[in-house]
Amino acid sequence: MSLEEQPDDLRDQAKRNYERVKNEFITEEKQSILSEYQVDDFDSVLLVVTAPRGGSSLLFDILRHHEGTCSLDGEHDRWVTLSGICYPTLESDVVPADFESFDRETLLTNLLAEVGATDRSGDRTHRVDNTLVRLPLQFPDRELPYEQIREQLLEGVSLNEILEELGISPLQYDEYAERDANRPFETETIEDRPFVSSHRHKRGLTADDFERTLVLKASGDAYRLPWIREQLFPETDVKVVHLTRNPAASINGLYDGWRLNRGFQTYNVGDLDLEGYDGSLWCYDLPPGWVREGKLIDVCLMQWAQAHRHILDGRDAFEDVLRVRFEDLLTDTRSTINEIVKFADLGESTLLSENVESPNKVMTTKEPRHARWRDREDLVKSALDRADETYTEVVEELEYTEDSEWI
C-alpha cells in the first residue's frame, strides 16, 4: 500500500532503506544471488490469477509446499507498487502491454528479493532476511535499527516483541491478517499487510534452484497479463492457472473485506460516497471504470467481473492456461491439486501431499463456511440483478449460471 497523496516521497524512502538493508544487513549468500540473478532466470513460472477473494491465497499456499517450487512469502504487488506501476501513474490497475516507464532490471531483481526454495528442513536465516527486506516497504517513513532487529530475530526473539519494543503495533504486520484493528490504519505502507505469510519449509536460493518452478500470485495480475508476458517474462516458460469462484461468494467476501479494519486498503482516490462503507480509502483492486459514488455491493461486483473479464481477454498472451474452480479445490482438493501439478510438470512431492491433507487456513475474512454468501443473499442478488453486460458475459463464459451450485 502507498500513501497516494505523497507516493513519490514514500517510495523514495522505501527504496533508500531497502537498498541499505540489501547491501548491509542480509546474508552474503542472498546478496550474491541478488547481484547475479533476476526473477526471469527461472526456467519456468506458474502464475495463479483470479479476482480478489477468489481463493488464490489457499491455492498458492498449497502449491508453494511442493519441493520442486520456489516462491515469495506472499503477493508480489508490493514490488510492482515500489516501481510506481500503479495508480495514480495509471488510471486503474490495468497495465498496458507496452508500458515501459519503469526500471525493468531493478524490478526483476526486486521480485527475487523474497524468493526462497521449498525444502523440508527450512532455514531461519532465510526467514530473517525476508523480514528485513520487507520492513522498509512496511514502514518507509521510519528509520529502524535493522542490525539490532536482525540480531534479535536470529536469537529467536519474536517479531511481535521486537515491534512492540519499537513502539509499533504488531497489527501493522502479520497479525493484521488474523484480527481487526479498532479503526482503519492509514496508507502509510507500500506492502499489503495481510498478504505476508511465510512457512518454515523454505530456505535461501542457490544457483541450482533456478531450474525449479517459481510460483507467483497477486490479484492485481488479472489486469496486467499481456504486460507480464511482454515486459517481465518474454522468453520464460510461463503456465497460467485461472482460478475461478462463483460471483456471489467472491462478492460477499469483498464486501466483508471492505468493511473490516484489516489492511485491505490500497489507494487514496479522494472522497468516497459508497453506501455500506464508511471508510475513506479504496480497498482491493482498482478496476477500469471505478466509481466514487454508489453502492459498495455494486463496486464489489464490478471488481469480480472486471478482473475475470481481463483474465479472459489477456490469457491469449500465454500458450498454457488451465482453468480451475475454487469450488473443486474445496470439495475435491487432492484431485484438483493433482491436475495442477500435472499441468505444471512438477512431479511428486511428499511435503505437498501432507499439506493437501491438512491445508492451512489463510486470508479468511470470516470463519470459512460453504455458501456463507446466503447470509446476505438479498443484498448480493440485488447487485446481480442490476449487473451490466460485462457481468452477464463473464458468468456465462465461466459457466456459473446456476446459483444452486454456488457454494
Side-chain angles (χ1 to χ4, degrees):
M1 281 185 268
S2 55
L3 184 57
E4 297 304 341
E5 293 177 352
Q6 306 172 21
D8 293 336
D9 290 343
L10 277 182
R11 289 193 194 113
D12 287 344
Q13 292 177 54
K15 290 174 182 177
R16 285 195 299 271
N17 287 333
Y18 165 65
E19 288 297 321
R20 181 179 170 220
V21 167
K22 185 174 70 171
N23 294 328
E24 298 180 23
F25 301 116
I26 61 175
T27 60
E28 291 182 2
E29 291 81 2
K30 183 182 271 293
Q31 289 176 350
S32 177
I33 287 292
L34 293 178
S35 67
E36 297 179 26
Y37 295 94
Q38 295 179 325
V39 74
D40 62 337
D41 286 318
F42 279 96
D43 286 350
S44 60
V45 171
L46 182 62
L47 183 65
V48 178
V49 293
T50 188
R53 309 312 307 166
S56 61
S57 293
L58 175 61
L59 178 57
F60 174 74
D61 188 67
I62 294 174
L63 291 174
R64 68 182 181 157
H65 280 80
H66 193 292
E67 287 130 322
T69 67
C70 297
S71 61
L72 286 80
D73 285 346
E75 299 201 353
H76 51 270
D77 275 336
R78 51 185 165 275
W79 300 106
V80 177
T81 299
L82 188 64
S83 293
I85 309 170
C86 60
Y87 177 90
T89 300
L90 301 168
E91 295 180 355
S92 69
D93 279 344
V94 175
V95 183
D98 59 354
F99 182 80
E100 297 179 344
S101 299
F102 68 103
D103 187 329
R104 181 176 185 271
E105 299 300 307
T106 296
L107 177 57
L108 291 175
T109 300
N110 288 348
L111 285 168
L112 193 62
E114 292 177 80
V115 176
T118 299
D119 189 303
R120 183 179 291 275
S121 61
D123 179 9
R124 174 189 288 272
T125 303
H126 168 70
R127 296 195 295 273
V128 170
D129 277 347
N130 276 11
T131 298
L132 290 171
V133 299
R134 282 195 300 266
L135 283 172
L137 278 69
Q138 194 75 48
F139 308 108
D141 57 345
R142 294 175 184 258
E143 296 298 327
L144 298 174
Y146 297 108
E147 184 172 6
Q148 174 188 325
I149 293 172
R150 175 179 176 77
E151 292 174 354
Q152 289 179 288
L153 288 171
L154 289 173
E155 291 171 358
V157 181
S158 73
L159 180 61
N160 283 358
E161 184 177 342
I162 294 170
L163 293 176
E164 287 175 343
E165 288 177 357
L166 296 172
I168 300 172
S169 169
L171 269 176
Q172 290 177 274
Y173 209 75
D174 292 350
E175 282 191 17
Y176 212 15
E178 300 172 3
R179 62 189 176 96
D180 294 345
N182 293 327
R183 60 176 178 79
F185 283 112
E186 298 301 319
T187 51
E188 72 274 18
T189 60
I190 300 289
E191 179 191 335
D192 262 337
R193 281 171 284 252
F195 300 105
V196 177
S197 59
S198 187
H199 66 73
R200 66 182 182 275
H201 304 298
K202 294 276 283 292
R203 59 165 173 75
L205 293 175
T206 65
D208 290 342
D209 291 324
F210 288 90
E211 297 177 3
R212 295 184 176 212
T213 295
L214 174 66
V215 182
L216 292 175
K217 84 99 179 177
S219 60
D221 285 345
Y223 296 103
R224 49 189 181 229
L225 284 178
W227 176 79
I228 288 172
R229 170 47 96 193
E230 293 194 19
Q231 305 298 333
L232 299 188
F233 299 112
E235 299 178 359
T236 305
D237 176 18
V238 181
K239 291 182 170 63
V240 176
V241 173
H242 178 190
L243 182 65
T244 68
R245 189 181 189 184
N246 74 79
S250 296
I251 293 165
N252 186 64
L254 284 164
Y255 192 82
D256 282 337
W258 271 82
R259 291 154 62 90
L260 293 174
N261 297 331
R262 197 172 289 189
F264 294 115
Q265 299 92 348
T266 49
Y267 298 113
N268 182 351
V269 298
D271 293 338
L272 292 173
D273 184 13
L274 299 175
E275 182 181 327
Y277 180 60
D278 59 6
S280 60
L281 304 171
W282 189 270
C283 296
Y284 297 106
D285 302 346
L286 191 66
W290 60 273
V291 296
R292 291 188 174 89
E293 299 179 356
K295 299 178 183 293
L296 174 60
I297 194 69
D298 293 337
V299 170
C300 297
L301 184 147
M302 176 192 296
Q303 290 178 310
W304 180 87
Q306 286 289 342
H308 285 295
R309 180 70 271 159
H310 280 76
I311 295 171
L312 290 167
D313 290 344
R315 63 186 175 182
D316 289 343
F318 301 90
E319 293 182 4
D320 299 307
V321 181
L322 175 68
R323 187 184 300 171
V324 174
R325 287 190 171 212
F326 183 65
E327 291 82 0
D328 294 335
L329 183 65
L330 292 178
T331 59
D332 193 1
T333 307
R334 180 165 295 281
S335 294
T336 304
I337 293 299
N338 285 343
E339 181 184 15
I340 297 172
V341 168
K342 182 178 179 180
F343 167 73
D345 297 322
L346 290 175
E348 296 184 358
S349 167
T350 303
L351 190 60
L352 175 77
S353 297
E354 293 171 3
N355 189 261
V356 168
E357 290 297 327
S358 182
N360 298 319
K361 186 171 70 173
V362 292
M363 286 302 299
T364 56
T365 54
K366 290 189 177 180
E367 190 66 26
R369 173 164 48 87
H370 285 187
R372 186 169 58 80
W373 68 272
R374 294 195 183 277
D375 292 349
R376 55 169 67 101
E377 181 172 357
D378 290 345
L379 179 65
V380 171
K381 284 195 169 182
S382 70
L384 302 185
D385 291 340
R386 290 190 298 272
D388 60 15
E389 186 176 350
T390 298
Y391 166 81
T392 304
E393 291 175 350
V394 170
V395 165
E396 291 178 353
E397 288 189 55
L398 299 184
E399 300 180 348
Y400 280 117
T401 54
E402 298 295 329
D403 65 16
S404 61
E405 301 174 358
W406 295 358
I407 62 171

